[in-house]
Amino acid sequence: MSINTEINRLLNFAIQQNLMQATDCFYSANKLIDLLHVAEFVPEKVDETLETATPILENMLDYAVAEKLIDDTVNERDLFDTRIMDCVMPRPSEVIRKFRADYAESPQLATDNYYKLSIASNYIRKTRIDKNIVWKSNTDYGALDLTINLSKPEKDPRDIAKAKTVKATGYPKCLLCRENEGFAGHAGHPARETHRIIPLDFRGHQWFLQYSPYTYYNEHCIVLNSDHVPMKINRDTFENICDFITEFPHYFVGSNADLPIVGGSILSHDHYQGGHYTFPMELAKVEKKYKFEGFPDVEAGRVKWPMSTLRLRSENRKQLIDLAEKILAAWRKYSDESVGILAETDAPHNTITPIGRRRGKAYELDLVLRNNRTSEEHPLGIYHPHEEVWHIKKENIGLIEVMGLAVLPARLKTEMAQVKESLVNGAESIEGIHADWYKKIRAAYQNITADNVDKIVDEEIGKVFSKVLEHAGVFKRDEKGMAAFDKFIASI
């Protein structure tokens, strides 16, 4: 391998992907030879087209390891390949200027090109994400989405040891802060030198648009507050959601709840998640309609969904937001001991996970009722996956799961392979956390073969995820629970 050839290949890739212009070649080449400790650059003709820069970067990283520029660990390689890609990246102002020019033509063109840049820059590590196992499973609530997340590599013990030596600075304050743009990273913080964010304005306050580096679905974006302030569901939340889907009508956007257990992984920084994807929840039908006095322009109804969801739709944005605010205020203080719902004990428990999208000219809000109370029987949360499903999913149910996409742990790849092998071989039982589930599958199917075992296990995992969502629903999907849902609606 010639490092000079790899530099020429990377320059060719960057020009093809519109990361840089041909006139930038020597500037970028000189940055690369400095980073790689190479004495000179010699132009070479390159005739190839690649989907991502990964093959080139892997060769460059192997060179860096051989030359002892970095240690051969995942984190060291990630930090260094981000520095490499930054040598061929446009500056933030150039990205913003391009985005705005594209937006003037169409919002979708702007996001399309911005997303392509995020992949081409290797900020979104598509090669890793493509390793995720993805499928759909038919349930009583429609086809649910499931993915076994394999895109996050296991941590190297050497990286863990090095992270302990990094001096804590508190800069950036968290992974969502706008100060991450261009940050070199270290053993305890991912590199963000290829990170580019787009400024947005919601009623005079600055927000930023970026894509998630982990993209669990198409064009998985994050809308982050310019200020490092905690998550809070209130009227501003509904206003911001409507502002965003006004500017980007081809995207949905939603917010995690603002309380522990039912909230997301980062409650310390106000943000939303959105994207260009149709989730199973969006396809779910309204099973019962409601009327709210004083809101004649708003259609409302209970969604046929495992979690307790109220859908509002209207072309009258003000009425929609006014009603959403009224429902939130009512739910914050609502208790019904007959079905175990308490608004407050030692702390407030009720909140909402809101999701917004456009339906033509109309705005649509799904308001998912949440409660984060715990008990002796369910110490991780009464409306959290119960112990019977922990063998598949134990983590909190955040926005993505609420909408019908299960993000499952990487361990399931190996564990499900073992389950399938035992099923095909006709084993009566297995050891471990899947033992009870295995017996149920064995009892439910008479003829399990190598040809049908994948479909059977995938469908059974889908049934478990459906149950996970039912556990997270504050009103159960039986007659008593639905009557209690109606009782809450009547109280508003």
Side-chain angles (χ1 to χ4, degrees), residues 209-268:
L209 173 67
Q210 68 172 67
Y211 287 108
S212 167
Y214 308 113
T215 55
Y216 291 124
Y217 51 86
N218 187 48
E219 296 177 45
H220 179 180
C221 70
I222 299 171
V223 184
L224 57 102
N225 197 321
S226 59
D227 297 330
H228 181 76
V229 294
M231 300 279 289
K232 185 65 179 174
I233 304 297
N234 53 27
R235 183 184 180 91
D236 284 342
T237 306
F238 306 129
E239 294 278 10
N240 291 337
I241 286 173
C242 289
D243 280 345
F244 182 83
I245 57 178
T246 298
E247 290 193 39
F248 303 99
H250 58 297
Y251 273 15
F252 80 91
V253 74
S255 173
N256 269 304
D258 55 354
L259 294 177
I261 298 176
V262 296
S265 58
I266 303 179
L267 291 175
S268 61

Short mmCIF file of all heavy atoms in Angstrom, two decimals, residues 209-268:
data_model
loop_
_atom_site.label_atom_id
_atom_site.label_comp_id
_atom_site.label_asym_id
_atom_site.label_seq_id
_atom_site.Cartn_x
_atom_site.Cartn_y
_atom_site.Cartn_z
N LEU A 209 -29.99 22.11 13.90
CA LEU A 209 -30.32 20.82 13.29
C LEU A 209 -29.04 20.04 13.04
O LEU A 209 -28.06 20.59 12.54
CB LEU A 209 -31.06 21.05 11.97
CG LEU A 209 -31.35 19.81 11.11
CD1 LEU A 209 -32.35 18.89 11.80
CD2 LEU A 209 -31.87 20.23 9.73
N GLN A 210 -29.05 18.77 13.38
CA GLN A 210 -27.94 17.88 13.07
C GLN A 210 -28.51 16.49 12.85
O GLN A 210 -29.68 16.23 13.14
CB GLN A 210 -26.92 17.83 14.21
CG GLN A 210 -27.47 17.15 15.47
CD GLN A 210 -26.42 16.92 16.54
OE1 GLN A 210 -25.90 17.86 17.11
NE2 GLN A 210 -26.11 15.65 16.80
N TYR A 211 -27.69 15.60 12.31
CA TYR A 211 -28.10 14.20 12.23
C TYR A 211 -27.46 13.41 13.36
O TYR A 211 -26.37 13.75 13.83
CB TYR A 211 -27.74 13.61 10.86
CG TYR A 211 -28.66 14.14 9.79
CD1 TYR A 211 -28.20 15.05 8.84
CD2 TYR A 211 -30.00 13.77 9.76
CE1 TYR A 211 -29.06 15.57 7.88
CE2 TYR A 211 -30.86 14.29 8.81
CZ TYR A 211 -30.39 15.19 7.88
OH TYR A 211 -31.24 15.71 6.96
N SER A 212 -28.16 12.38 13.78
CA SER A 212 -27.59 11.48 14.78
C SER A 212 -26.50 10.65 14.14
O SER A 212 -26.70 10.11 13.04
CB SER A 212 -28.68 10.56 15.35
OG SER A 212 -28.09 9.51 16.09
N PRO A 213 -25.35 10.51 14.76
CA PRO A 213 -24.30 9.65 14.18
C PRO A 213 -24.67 8.18 14.19
O PRO A 213 -24.02 7.37 13.53
CB PRO A 213 -23.08 9.94 15.07
CG PRO A 213 -23.64 10.45 16.35
CD PRO A 213 -24.90 11.17 16.00
N TYR A 214 -25.76 7.82 14.92
CA TYR A 214 -26.14 6.41 15.05
C TYR A 214 -27.35 6.03 14.20
O TYR A 214 -27.69 4.86 14.09
CB TYR A 214 -26.39 6.07 16.52
CG TYR A 214 -25.25 6.48 17.40
CD1 TYR A 214 -25.38 7.50 18.35
CD2 TYR A 214 -23.99 5.91 17.25
CE1 TYR A 214 -24.32 7.90 19.13
CE2 TYR A 214 -22.91 6.31 18.02
CZ TYR A 214 -23.08 7.30 18.96
OH TYR A 214 -22.01 7.71 19.72
N THR A 215 -28.04 7.01 13.62
CA THR A 215 -29.15 6.83 12.68
C THR A 215 -29.88 5.49 12.79
O THR A 215 -29.60 4.56 12.05
CB THR A 215 -28.69 7.01 11.22
OG1 THR A 215 -27.60 6.13 10.93
CG2 THR A 215 -28.27 8.42 10.95
N TYR A 216 -30.85 5.42 13.68
CA TYR A 216 -31.65 4.20 13.85
C TYR A 216 -32.72 4.07 12.77
O TYR A 216 -33.38 3.03 12.68
CB TYR A 216 -32.30 4.20 15.22
CG TYR A 216 -31.32 4.03 16.36
CD1 TYR A 216 -31.24 4.95 17.39
CD2 TYR A 216 -30.44 2.94 16.40
CE1 TYR A 216 -30.33 4.80 18.43
CE2 TYR A 216 -29.53 2.78 17.43
CZ TYR A 216 -29.48 3.71 18.44
OH TYR A 216 -28.58 3.55 19.47
N TYR A 217 -32.93 5.13 11.98
CA TYR A 217 -33.90 5.11 10.89
C TYR A 217 -33.49 6.18 9.88
O TYR A 217 -32.53 6.92 10.12
CB TYR A 217 -35.33 5.36 11.42
CG TYR A 217 -35.44 6.59 12.30
CD1 TYR A 217 -35.64 7.85 11.76
CD2 TYR A 217 -35.31 6.49 13.68
CE1 TYR A 217 -35.72 8.99 12.56
CE2 TYR A 217 -35.38 7.61 14.49
CZ TYR A 217 -35.59 8.85 13.92
OH TYR A 217 -35.65 9.98 14.71
N ASN A 218 -34.18 6.27 8.76
CA ASN A 218 -33.76 7.16 7.69
C ASN A 218 -33.75 8.63 8.12
O ASN A 218 -34.73 9.15 8.62
CB ASN A 218 -34.68 6.99 6.47
CG ASN A 218 -34.20 7.77 5.27
OD1 ASN A 218 -33.02 7.70 4.90
ND2 ASN A 218 -35.08 8.54 4.67
N GLU A 219 -32.62 9.27 7.90
CA GLU A 219 -32.43 10.70 8.18
C GLU A 219 -32.79 11.05 9.63
O GLU A 219 -33.46 12.05 9.91
CB GLU A 219 -33.21 11.56 7.17
CG GLU A 219 -32.69 11.39 5.76
CD GLU A 219 -33.46 12.15 4.69
OE1 GLU A 219 -33.76 13.33 4.92
OE2 GLU A 219 -33.74 11.55 3.64
N HIS A 220 -32.33 10.21 10.52
CA HIS A 220 -32.55 10.39 11.96
C HIS A 220 -31.84 11.67 12.42
O HIS A 220 -30.63 11.71 12.55
CB HIS A 220 -31.99 9.16 12.68
CG HIS A 220 -32.12 9.21 14.18
ND1 HIS A 220 -31.68 8.18 14.99
CD2 HIS A 220 -32.64 10.14 15.04
CE1 HIS A 220 -31.91 8.47 16.25
NE2 HIS A 220 -32.48 9.66 16.31
N CYS A 221 -32.63 12.70 12.66
CA CYS A 221 -32.04 14.00 13.00
C CYS A 221 -32.32 14.37 14.46
O CYS A 221 -33.19 13.79 15.11
CB CYS A 221 -32.56 15.10 12.08
SG CYS A 221 -34.30 15.55 12.31
N ILE A 222 -31.54 15.33 14.94
CA ILE A 222 -31.70 15.87 16.29
C ILE A 222 -31.82 17.39 16.17
O ILE A 222 -31.07 18.02 15.41
CB ILE A 222 -30.51 15.51 17.19
CG1 ILE A 222 -30.39 13.98 17.33
CG2 ILE A 222 -30.64 16.15 18.57
CD1 ILE A 222 -29.13 13.52 18.02
N VAL A 223 -32.77 17.94 16.87
CA VAL A 223 -32.94 19.40 16.93
C VAL A 223 -32.60 19.82 18.35
O VAL A 223 -33.29 19.43 19.30
CB VAL A 223 -34.39 19.81 16.57
CG1 VAL A 223 -34.52 21.32 16.54
CG2 VAL A 223 -34.80 19.20 15.23
N LEU A 224 -31.52 20.57 18.50
CA LEU A 224 -31.01 20.84 19.85
C LEU A 224 -31.06 22.32 20.20
O LEU A 224 -30.84 23.20 19.37
CB LEU A 224 -29.58 20.31 19.99
CG LEU A 224 -28.53 20.83 19.01
CD1 LEU A 224 -27.65 21.88 19.66
CD2 LEU A 224 -27.67 19.67 18.51
N ASN A 225 -31.38 22.56 21.44
CA ASN A 225 -31.43 23.93 21.97
C ASN A 225 -30.02 24.51 22.00
O ASN A 225 -29.06 23.82 22.35
CB ASN A 225 -32.02 23.89 23.39
CG ASN A 225 -32.50 25.25 23.87
OD1 ASN A 225 -31.87 26.27 23.60
ND2 ASN A 225 -33.62 25.27 24.58
N SER A 226 -29.87 25.78 21.63
CA SER A 226 -28.55 26.41 21.68
C SER A 226 -28.06 26.56 23.12
O SER A 226 -26.85 26.69 23.34
CB SER A 226 -28.59 27.79 21.00
OG SER A 226 -29.54 28.64 21.63
N ASP A 227 -28.99 26.53 24.08
CA ASP A 227 -28.63 26.62 25.49
C ASP A 227 -28.64 25.21 26.12
O ASP A 227 -29.47 24.37 25.78
CB ASP A 227 -29.62 27.49 26.26
CG ASP A 227 -29.63 28.93 25.77
OD1 ASP A 227 -28.59 29.40 25.30
OD2 ASP A 227 -30.70 29.57 25.83
N HIS A 228 -27.71 24.99 27.03
CA HIS A 228 -27.66 23.71 27.75
C HIS A 228 -28.66 23.80 28.91
O HIS A 228 -28.31 24.13 30.05
CB HIS A 228 -26.24 23.45 28.27
CG HIS A 228 -26.10 22.15 28.99
ND1 HIS A 228 -26.04 20.93 28.35
CD2 HIS A 228 -26.02 21.88 30.33
CE1 HIS A 228 -25.93 19.97 29.26
NE2 HIS A 228 -25.91 20.51 30.46
N VAL A 229 -29.93 23.48 28.60
CA VAL A 229 -31.01 23.54 29.60
C VAL A 229 -31.74 22.20 29.59
O VAL A 229 -31.78 21.51 28.57
CB VAL A 229 -31.99 24.69 29.31
CG1 VAL A 229 -31.29 26.03 29.49
CG2 VAL A 229 -32.59 24.58 27.91
N PRO A 230 -32.33 21.80 30.72
CA PRO A 230 -32.97 20.48 30.81
C PRO A 230 -34.20 20.34 29.92
O PRO A 230 -34.84 21.34 29.55
CB PRO A 230 -33.35 20.37 32.30
CG PRO A 230 -32.57 21.42 33.00
CD PRO A 230 -32.35 22.51 32.01
N MET A 231 -34.54 19.10 29.62
CA MET A 231 -35.77 18.81 28.90
C MET A 231 -36.97 19.28 29.71
O MET A 231 -37.01 19.12 30.92
CB MET A 231 -35.90 17.30 28.67
CG MET A 231 -34.79 16.67 27.87
SD MET A 231 -34.97 16.87 26.11
CE MET A 231 -36.35 15.80 25.76
N LYS A 232 -37.95 19.85 29.02
CA LYS A 232 -39.18 20.27 29.68
C LYS A 232 -40.32 20.24 28.68
O LYS A 232 -40.25 20.86 27.63
CB LYS A 232 -39.02 21.71 30.25
CG LYS A 232 -40.21 22.17 31.07
CD LYS A 232 -40.38 21.34 32.33
CE LYS A 232 -41.56 21.81 33.17
NZ LYS A 232 -41.81 20.92 34.33
N ILE A 233 -41.36 19.48 29.02
CA ILE A 233 -42.55 19.42 28.17
C ILE A 233 -43.52 20.50 28.63
O ILE A 233 -44.00 20.49 29.77
CB ILE A 233 -43.23 18.04 28.23
CG1 ILE A 233 -42.24 16.93 27.88
CG2 ILE A 233 -44.44 18.00 27.30
CD1 ILE A 233 -41.69 16.98 26.48
N ASN A 234 -43.81 21.46 27.75
CA ASN A 234 -44.76 22.53 28.05
C ASN A 234 -45.29 23.09 26.73
O ASN A 234 -45.09 22.49 25.67
CB ASN A 234 -44.09 23.63 28.90
CG ASN A 234 -42.81 24.15 28.29
OD1 ASN A 234 -42.62 24.11 27.06
ND2 ASN A 234 -41.90 24.65 29.11
N ARG A 235 -45.94 24.24 26.78
CA ARG A 235 -46.51 24.81 25.56
C ARG A 235 -45.43 25.05 24.50
O ARG A 235 -45.65 24.84 23.31
CB ARG A 235 -47.25 26.11 25.87
CG ARG A 235 -47.93 26.69 24.63
CD ARG A 235 -48.59 28.03 24.84
NE ARG A 235 -49.21 28.48 23.60
CZ ARG A 235 -50.45 28.23 23.23
NH1 ARG A 235 -51.24 27.51 24.04
NH2 ARG A 235 -50.92 28.66 22.08
N ASP A 236 -44.26 25.52 24.96
CA ASP A 236 -43.17 25.77 24.01
C ASP A 236 -42.82 24.50 23.22
O ASP A 236 -42.43 24.59 22.06
CB ASP A 236 -41.93 26.28 24.74
CG ASP A 236 -42.05 27.74 25.14
OD1 ASP A 236 -42.93 28.44 24.59
OD2 ASP A 236 -41.27 28.18 26.01
N THR A 237 -42.95 23.35 23.86
CA THR A 237 -42.66 22.08 23.18
C THR A 237 -43.56 21.93 21.96
O THR A 237 -43.10 21.63 20.85
CB THR A 237 -42.88 20.89 24.12
OG1 THR A 237 -42.11 21.07 25.30
CG2 THR A 237 -42.52 19.58 23.44
N PHE A 238 -44.85 22.15 22.14
CA PHE A 238 -45.80 22.02 21.03
C PHE A 238 -45.56 23.09 19.97
O PHE A 238 -45.67 22.81 18.77
CB PHE A 238 -47.24 22.08 21.56
CG PHE A 238 -47.53 21.10 22.67
CD1 PHE A 238 -48.12 21.52 23.85
CD2 PHE A 238 -47.19 19.76 22.54
CE1 PHE A 238 -48.38 20.63 24.88
CE2 PHE A 238 -47.45 18.86 23.56
CZ PHE A 238 -48.05 19.29 24.73
N GLU A 239 -45.23 24.29 20.42
CA GLU A 239 -44.92 25.37 19.47
C GLU A 239 -43.69 25.00 18.64
O GLU A 239 -43.67 25.18 17.42
CB GLU A 239 -44.68 26.69 20.22
CG GLU A 239 -45.87 27.28 20.93
CD GLU A 239 -46.80 28.07 20.00
OE1 GLU A 239 -46.61 28.01 18.77
OE2 GLU A 239 -47.71 28.74 20.53
N ASN A 240 -42.65 24.51 19.31
CA ASN A 240 -41.42 24.15 18.60
C ASN A 240 -41.64 23.02 17.61
O ASN A 240 -41.08 23.03 16.50
CB ASN A 240 -40.33 23.77 19.60
CG ASN A 240 -39.83 24.94 20.43
OD1 ASN A 240 -39.95 26.09 20.03
ND2 ASN A 240 -39.29 24.65 21.60
N ILE A 241 -42.42 22.03 18.01
CA ILE A 241 -42.73 20.92 17.11
C ILE A 241 -43.43 21.44 15.87
O ILE A 241 -43.08 21.07 14.73
CB ILE A 241 -43.59 19.86 17.84
CG1 ILE A 241 -42.72 19.07 18.82
CG2 ILE A 241 -44.27 18.93 16.85
CD1 ILE A 241 -43.50 18.11 19.71
N CYS A 242 -44.40 22.31 16.06
CA CYS A 242 -45.13 22.86 14.91
C CYS A 242 -44.24 23.76 14.06
O CYS A 242 -44.36 23.79 12.83
CB CYS A 242 -46.38 23.59 15.38
SG CYS A 242 -47.67 22.48 15.99
N ASP A 243 -43.35 24.53 14.70
CA ASP A 243 -42.40 25.35 13.95
C ASP A 243 -41.54 24.46 13.05
O ASP A 243 -41.31 24.77 11.87
CB ASP A 243 -41.49 26.13 14.90
CG ASP A 243 -42.16 27.38 15.47
OD1 ASP A 243 -43.20 27.80 14.92
OD2 ASP A 243 -41.63 27.93 16.45
N PHE A 244 -41.06 23.36 13.62
CA PHE A 244 -40.15 22.50 12.86
C PHE A 244 -40.86 21.86 11.67
O PHE A 244 -40.32 21.85 10.55
CB PHE A 244 -39.56 21.42 13.77
CG PHE A 244 -38.58 20.52 13.06
CD1 PHE A 244 -37.26 20.90 12.90
CD2 PHE A 244 -38.99 19.30 12.51
CE1 PHE A 244 -36.35 20.09 12.23
CE2 PHE A 244 -38.09 18.48 11.84
CZ PHE A 244 -36.76 18.89 11.70
N ILE A 245 -42.05 21.31 11.87
CA ILE A 245 -42.72 20.63 10.76
C ILE A 245 -43.35 21.63 9.78
O ILE A 245 -43.75 21.24 8.68
CB ILE A 245 -43.76 19.60 11.26
CG1 ILE A 245 -44.81 20.25 12.17
CG2 ILE A 245 -43.06 18.45 11.96
CD1 ILE A 245 -45.89 19.27 12.64
N THR A 246 -43.39 22.91 10.17
CA THR A 246 -43.73 23.95 9.19
C THR A 246 -42.55 24.17 8.26
O THR A 246 -42.71 24.28 7.03
CB THR A 246 -44.09 25.27 9.91
OG1 THR A 246 -45.25 25.07 10.72
CG2 THR A 246 -44.39 26.38 8.90
N GLU A 247 -41.35 24.23 8.82
CA GLU A 247 -40.15 24.44 8.02
C GLU A 247 -39.75 23.19 7.24
O GLU A 247 -39.21 23.29 6.13
CB GLU A 247 -38.98 24.87 8.92
CG GLU A 247 -39.12 26.27 9.49
CD GLU A 247 -37.82 26.78 10.09
OE1 GLU A 247 -36.75 26.51 9.52
OE2 GLU A 247 -37.88 27.44 11.15
N PHE A 248 -40.02 22.01 7.82
CA PHE A 248 -39.63 20.75 7.17
C PHE A 248 -40.84 19.81 7.15
O PHE A 248 -40.91 18.84 7.92
CB PHE A 248 -38.46 20.12 7.93
CG PHE A 248 -37.25 21.01 8.03
CD1 PHE A 248 -37.01 21.75 9.19
CD2 PHE A 248 -36.37 21.15 6.96
CE1 PHE A 248 -35.90 22.59 9.28
CE2 PHE A 248 -35.27 21.99 7.04
CZ PHE A 248 -35.04 22.71 8.20
N PRO A 249 -41.80 20.09 6.27
CA PRO A 249 -43.06 19.32 6.29
C PRO A 249 -42.90 17.85 5.90
O PRO A 249 -43.82 17.06 6.12
CB PRO A 249 -43.94 20.08 5.28
CG PRO A 249 -42.98 20.82 4.40
CD PRO A 249 -41.81 21.17 5.27
N HIS A 250 -41.76 17.48 5.33
CA HIS A 250 -41.53 16.08 4.96
C HIS A 250 -40.94 15.28 6.13
O HIS A 250 -40.78 14.06 6.01
CB HIS A 250 -40.59 15.99 3.75
CG HIS A 250 -39.26 16.64 3.95
ND1 HIS A 250 -39.11 18.00 4.18
CD2 HIS A 250 -37.99 16.12 3.96
CE1 HIS A 250 -37.82 18.28 4.30
NE2 HIS A 250 -37.12 17.17 4.18
N TYR A 251 -40.64 15.94 7.24
CA TYR A 251 -40.09 15.28 8.43
C TYR A 251 -41.15 15.19 9.52
O TYR A 251 -42.08 16.01 9.59
CB TYR A 251 -38.91 16.09 8.98
CG TYR A 251 -37.56 15.77 8.39
CD1 TYR A 251 -37.43 15.04 7.21
CD2 TYR A 251 -36.40 16.20 9.01
CE1 TYR A 251 -36.18 14.77 6.68
CE2 TYR A 251 -35.13 15.93 8.48
CZ TYR A 251 -35.04 15.21 7.31
OH TYR A 251 -33.80 14.92 6.79
N PHE A 252 -41.01 14.20 10.39
CA PHE A 252 -41.73 14.21 11.66
C PHE A 252 -40.75 14.73 12.71
O PHE A 252 -39.53 14.77 12.50
CB PHE A 252 -42.21 12.79 12.04
CG PHE A 252 -41.13 11.96 12.66
CD1 PHE A 252 -40.94 11.95 14.04
CD2 PHE A 252 -40.27 11.21 11.89
CE1 PHE A 252 -39.91 11.21 14.62
CE2 PHE A 252 -39.24 10.46 12.45
CZ PHE A 252 -39.06 10.46 13.82
N VAL A 253 -41.24 15.09 13.89
CA VAL A 253 -40.36 15.42 15.01
C VAL A 253 -41.09 15.13 16.30
O VAL A 253 -42.32 15.25 16.38
CB VAL A 253 -39.88 16.89 14.96
CG1 VAL A 253 -40.99 17.87 15.35
CG2 VAL A 253 -38.64 17.11 15.82
N GLY A 254 -40.35 14.70 17.31
CA GLY A 254 -40.95 14.40 18.60
C GLY A 254 -39.97 14.65 19.72
O GLY A 254 -38.78 14.89 19.48
N SER A 255 -40.48 14.58 20.93
CA SER A 255 -39.64 14.81 22.10
C SER A 255 -39.76 13.64 23.06
O SER A 255 -40.85 13.09 23.25
CB SER A 255 -40.05 16.09 22.82
OG SER A 255 -39.35 16.23 24.05
N ASN A 256 -38.64 13.26 23.65
CA ASN A 256 -38.71 12.35 24.78
C ASN A 256 -39.43 13.04 25.93
O ASN A 256 -39.49 14.27 25.99
CB ASN A 256 -37.31 11.94 25.22
CG ASN A 256 -36.82 10.68 24.52
OD1 ASN A 256 -37.48 9.64 24.59
ND2 ASN A 256 -35.68 10.77 23.85
N ALA A 257 -39.99 12.24 26.82
CA ALA A 257 -40.60 12.80 28.02
C ALA A 257 -39.53 13.45 28.89
O ALA A 257 -38.33 13.22 28.71
CB ALA A 257 -41.35 11.71 28.79
N ASP A 258 -39.96 14.26 29.83
CA ASP A 258 -39.02 15.07 30.62
C ASP A 258 -38.80 14.55 32.03
O ASP A 258 -38.35 15.28 32.91
CB ASP A 258 -39.51 16.52 30.68
CG ASP A 258 -40.94 16.66 31.21
OD1 ASP A 258 -41.61 15.62 31.42
OD2 ASP A 258 -41.39 17.80 31.38
N LEU A 259 -39.11 13.27 32.26
CA LEU A 259 -38.91 12.67 33.58
C LEU A 259 -38.04 11.41 33.45
O LEU A 259 -38.08 10.73 32.41
CB LEU A 259 -40.25 12.29 34.22
CG LEU A 259 -41.20 13.44 34.58
CD1 LEU A 259 -42.51 12.88 35.14
CD2 LEU A 259 -40.56 14.40 35.58
N PRO A 260 -37.27 11.09 34.48
CA PRO A 260 -36.48 9.85 34.46
C PRO A 260 -37.36 8.63 34.27
O PRO A 260 -38.56 8.67 34.54
CB PRO A 260 -35.81 9.83 35.84
CG PRO A 260 -35.87 11.23 36.33
CD PRO A 260 -37.10 11.84 35.74
N ILE A 261 -36.79 7.55 33.80
CA ILE A 261 -37.43 6.26 33.52
C ILE A 261 -38.21 6.30 32.21
O ILE A 261 -38.03 5.45 31.35
CB ILE A 261 -38.34 5.76 34.67
CG1 ILE A 261 -37.52 5.54 35.95
CG2 ILE A 261 -39.08 4.49 34.27
CD1 ILE A 261 -38.34 5.15 37.16
N VAL A 262 -39.08 7.31 32.04
CA VAL A 262 -39.87 7.40 30.81
C VAL A 262 -39.25 8.38 29.82
O VAL A 262 -39.77 8.56 28.72
CB VAL A 262 -41.33 7.80 31.11
CG1 VAL A 262 -42.02 6.73 31.92
CG2 VAL A 262 -41.41 9.15 31.81
N GLY A 263 -38.15 9.03 30.20
CA GLY A 263 -37.48 9.97 29.31
C GLY A 263 -36.36 9.32 28.54
O GLY A 263 -36.16 8.11 28.60
N GLY A 264 -35.61 10.13 27.81
CA GLY A 264 -34.51 9.62 27.02
C GLY A 264 -33.23 9.52 27.82
O GLY A 264 -33.21 9.68 29.05
N SER A 265 -32.12 9.26 27.11
CA SER A 265 -30.84 9.07 27.78
C SER A 265 -30.17 10.38 28.15
O SER A 265 -29.29 10.41 29.00
CB SER A 265 -29.91 8.26 26.88
OG SER A 265 -29.72 8.91 25.63
N ILE A 266 -30.58 11.48 27.50
CA ILE A 266 -29.99 12.79 27.82
C ILE A 266 -31.11 13.75 28.19
O ILE A 266 -31.72 14.40 27.33
CB ILE A 266 -29.18 13.36 26.63
CG1 ILE A 266 -28.08 12.38 26.21
CG2 ILE A 266 -28.56 14.70 27.00
CD1 ILE A 266 -27.24 12.84 25.03
N LEU A 267 -31.42 13.82 29.48
CA LEU A 267 -32.46 14.73 29.97
C LEU A 267 -31.90 16.11 30.29
O LEU A 267 -32.66 17.05 30.51
CB LEU A 267 -33.12 14.15 31.23
CG LEU A 267 -34.00 12.92 31.04
CD1 LEU A 267 -34.48 12.40 32.39
CD2 LEU A 267 -35.18 13.23 30.15
N SER A 268 -30.56 16.22 30.31
CA SER A 268 -29.94 17.47 30.74
C SER A 268 -29.89 18.53 29.65
O SER A 268 -29.62 19.69 29.93
CB SER A 268 -28.50 17.19 31.22
OG SER A 268 -27.72 16.65 30.17
#
